[in-house]
Amino acid sequence: GPQARMPRNRLLHMQAVSSAYASSEIPRTSERVAIVASDGALVGRIREALAAEAMTVGDPAMDVAGLSDSSAGARAIVLTGCVGASACRAAVRSATTRFPGVPVVVVAALSKSGVHRTIDAGASGFVLESQVEAALAATIEAVRHGQLVVPGEVRRSVVRPALSYRERQILTLLVSGLTNRQIASELYLAESTVKTHLTSIFGKLGVGSRSEA
C-alpha cells in the first residue's frame, strides 16, 4: 500500500549519499605515483610499466625538494638517479621526512650492502633498474600495504635479526649520545658487557661503528 512506499525525496537523498560514499572510497590521487628522476628513458620505462597496472606517473622532479606538496597523496614515491648508497640514503631520508605517510621505492643499481643501507634509511622497497618492467608495479602495490620489498638475491642480507630488549635499551641510550661507561652506569652493567652488546647490535644493523647506528 501507499504506507510502505518511501518518500521520494528521502530515496533521492539516500541515493546521493550512497553515490558519495562510492566515489570517496578511493582517493583521487591513489593511482598516482610521484617520481624523482632525471633520466628520460628510465621515466619512459617506468610510465609504461605502471600504465599496465592503471597507475599514472606525475611530472618527474629533479630531486626530493622539487616534488610538489600534492605528493603527500601519492600511492608511492619512486626515487631514481641516485649514484651510490650514500646518495640514495640521503634521498630516502629527505623523502620520508617530508612525506612521512608515503612509502618510498628506490630504483637503482646498488650492491647488497647498498640496498641494505637504503632500506635502513627508511625505504619501503627496492627495485633494480634492470627489473623495472617485471617488478616495479608489484613492489609499489606491496609497500602500499605495509610490506618491505627487496630483490630476492639480496633479501638475506637485508632482513636482519631482531634486536633483543636489552639491545634496544642500549641502542636508545647510544643514539642519545651516552658513552659506553654512562650506558653501563645507567643500566647497572659492566662496561665490558655493554661493549659485547654493541658488537651484537652493530652486526645486526649491518653498521661498523656507533656513528652509523
Side-chain angles (χ1 to χ4, degrees):
Q3 293 180 340
R5 295 179 62 185
M6 184 178 294
R8 185 169 183 274
N9 61 342
R10 186 179 172 199
L11 178 63
L12 289 175
H13 173 71
M14 290 180 64
Q15 288 174 337
V17 169
S18 175
S19 176
Y21 276 120
S23 63
S24 65
E25 284 178 2
I26 303 174
R28 287 186 299 173
T29 54
S30 66
E31 305 303 325
R32 189 175 62 79
V33 174
I35 184 170
V36 172
S38 56
D39 183 339
L42 180 58
V43 171
R45 289 173 57 202
I46 290 174
R47 284 189 192 279
E48 190 171 339
L50 299 187
E53 299 299 326
M55 296 184 214
T56 60
V57 177
D59 292 333
M62 294 298 290
D63 52 32
V64 174
L67 288 170
S68 70
D69 291 341
S70 64
S71 298
R75 172 172 285 207
I77 294 172
V78 175
L79 299 181
T80 76
C82 54
V83 179
S86 295
C88 284
R89 194 171 180 175
V92 168
R93 283 182 169 167
S94 178
T96 54
T97 299
R98 187 176 170 201
F99 304 106
V102 184
V104 174
V105 176
V106 175
V107 175
L110 292 179
S111 64
K112 290 182 180 180
S113 62
V115 175
H116 170 61
R117 294 173 106 192
T118 301
I119 296 297
D120 272 354
S124 298
F126 189 97
V127 176
L128 296 171
E129 285 185 11
S130 60
Q131 297 178 348
V132 164
E133 288 79 5
L136 183 56
T139 297
I140 289 174
E141 191 60 25
V143 300
R144 182 171 172 248
H145 290 90
Q147 297 181 43
L148 178 68
V149 184
V150 295
E153 57 265 40
V154 298
R155 189 169 296 127
R156 287 185 181 179
S157 70
V158 171
V159 181
R160 301 281 175 171
L163 297 180
S164 68
Y165 173 72
R166 178 67 81 190
E167 287 169 344
R168 291 198 301 273
Q169 279 186 311
I170 291 174
L171 182 60
T172 298
L173 296 174
L174 178 73
V175 298
S176 297
L178 271 65
T179 64
N180 291 359
R181 180 170 296 178
Q182 289 170 327
I183 293 172
S185 175
E186 184 78 18
L187 298 178
Y188 302 101
L189 298 172
E191 192 172 345
S192 59
T193 302
V194 172
K195 290 179 180 178
T196 300
H197 279 303
L198 287 176
T199 299
S200 174
I201 291 169
F202 294 161
K204 289 180 178 181
L205 295 180
V207 298
S209 68
R210 63 199 300 131
S211 62
E212 293 181 62

